Amino acid sequence: MTARLIDGKGAAAELRAKVAGEVRRLVAAHGLTPGLAVVLVGDNPASAAYVASKKKMSAQSGMLSFDHRLPGSVSEAELLALIAKLNGDPSIHGILVQLPLPPQIDANKVIEAVDPNKDVDGFHPLNAGRLLLGLPSLAPCTPLGCIKLARIVHPSLVGLEAVVVGRSNIVGKPLAQLLIGQNATVTVAHSKTRDIPMVCRRADLVVAAAGRAGLVRRDWIKPGATVIDVGINRVTDEGGRHRIVGDVAFAEVREVAGAITPVPGGVGPMTIACLLANTVKAACLSAGLPQPEL
């Protein structure tokens, strides 16, 4: 058996098309153009490439895009002052501060400084708490993308046995809450879990989000299970070539899984598409309009 490939690029393109349609509707009906501000500190090449992609996709969706690039030496006070300015700008509905930040800046302070209603990353403690309680919130984009990809294979996640490998605040924890919201039965496995392979083998859905290249192996996966690979790891092969690989040993796991996301081309494109969807939702929230189905 060879697993079905879950096409993240195709699913992301569909979601971006829906977002663009909603933007056109908001402009025509309400004169409202969603605006996204992205703040990049320093010159991390991976972050810069990611920000450029977000800017391009925002423009293609008909949104306003605001780029703020600060030197790596910027002080915490200067960054917080910029965020306060963006919080008060009515043309900006979403604020995203690209992580990681330089060591002189407390990332938690920065995350808490963003207006929760403009927190399209879904990292603010208020949004995290609302997600935990099952209340309407802006949820983190990568977990949202994982849910959408899983539902391509399983239109309903009700009763599904799901294992999330990794417990980060960015992916693992919020994804577990989203899965609970879909009425899945959820286990969060991590570095202190006893016998992770055994835990994963009972799952209908495995999401690998541990940040370790090739961690999830063939014998971790129940035949026919769905595997979502969140990992983005840069490795160098024996020939000195650089490659991007996931947290899943793709070739061997594909032989037993029922469906699997590739890396790249799986979760990554969906993360950006969900960011755009969150920006549209934030714009509607600011104008007191109903939340669109995206």
Side-chain angles (χ1 to χ4, degrees):
M1 177 175 72
T2 302
R4 162 189 177 185
L5 270 185
I6 304 171
D7 180 10
K9 285 183 179 176
E14 284 183 27
L15 179 54
R16 289 199 311 272
K18 285 183 186 176
V19 166
E22 188 61 26
V23 170
R24 287 192 297 272
R25 188 189 69 79
L26 288 172
V27 172
H30 304 284
L32 176 63
T33 305
L36 173 65
V38 179
V39 180
L40 176 61
V41 180
D43 53 5
N44 180 308
S47 292
Y50 199 46
V51 166
S53 181
K54 289 171 182 173
K55 184 177 181 181
K56 178 183 172 186
M57 299 298 182
S58 299
Q60 288 177 350
S61 299
M63 295 186 190
L64 298 175
S65 182
F66 304 89
D67 234 3
H68 295 271
R69 298 187 178 235
L70 304 176
S73 59
V74 72
S75 71
E76 183 176 276
E78 287 171 302
L79 178 55
L80 291 174
L82 172 61
I83 290 170
K85 182 181 171 186
L86 299 176
N87 282 341
D89 187 337
S91 66
I92 291 171
H93 305 100
I95 301 170
L96 183 149
V97 181
Q98 186 66 38
L99 302 176
L101 291 168
Q104 76 272 17
I105 296 172
D106 183 340
N108 287 326
K109 271 192 194 174
V110 171
I111 288 167
E112 290 183 27
V114 175
D115 180 344
N117 291 333
K118 296 188 177 188
D119 169 39
V120 287
D121 252 341
F123 295 161
H124 192 284
L126 183 63
N127 280 321
R130 291 182 70 85
L131 178 62
L132 176 68
L133 296 173
L135 298 172
S137 65
L138 290 167
C141 305
T142 297
L144 278 175
C146 291
I147 294 289
K148 289 180 183 297
L149 291 173
R151 291 188 65 181
I152 291 172
V153 183
H154 307 277
S156 169
L157 303 180
V158 173
L160 226 61
E161 184 95 21
V163 171
V164 179
V165 183
R167 53 178 168 176
S168 72
N169 292 337
I170 293 172
V171 181
K173 290 176 185 175
L175 177 56
Q177 297 306 323
L178 286 170
L179 286 165
I180 289 169
Q182 295 284 321
N183 293 306
T185 300
V186 185
T187 301
V188 179
H190 46 78
S191 58
K192 300 294 189 285
T193 299
R194 291 184 209 159
D195 201 348
I196 292 185
M198 182 194 71
V199 172
C200 289
R201 269 196 298 273
R202 67 173 191 244
D204 306 301
L205 171 66
V206 175
V207 183
R212 287 180 54 190
L215 173 70
V216 176
R217 310 304 298 255
R218 176 192 177 115
D219 65 346
W220 291 34
I221 302 301
K222 178 171 73 173
T226 299
V227 179
I228 307 289
D229 190 350
V230 178
I232 300 176
N233 307 286
R234 289 164 179 81
V235 299
T236 305
D237 63 22
E238 293 174 359
R241 290 165 300 195
H242 300 290
R243 292 185 301 126
I244 302 288
V245 300
D247 288 358
V248 175
F250 180 82
E252 61 182 74
V253 169
R254 193 180 183 191
E255 293 176 357
V256 294
I260 188 169
T261 58
V263 176
V267 174
M270 283 301 295
T271 296
I272 296 178
C274 288
L275 169 69
L276 302 180
N278 270 357
T279 304
V280 170
K281 289 178 180 179
C284 291
L285 183 68
S286 76
L289 297 170
Q291 291 286 295
E293 289 292 327
L294 291 171

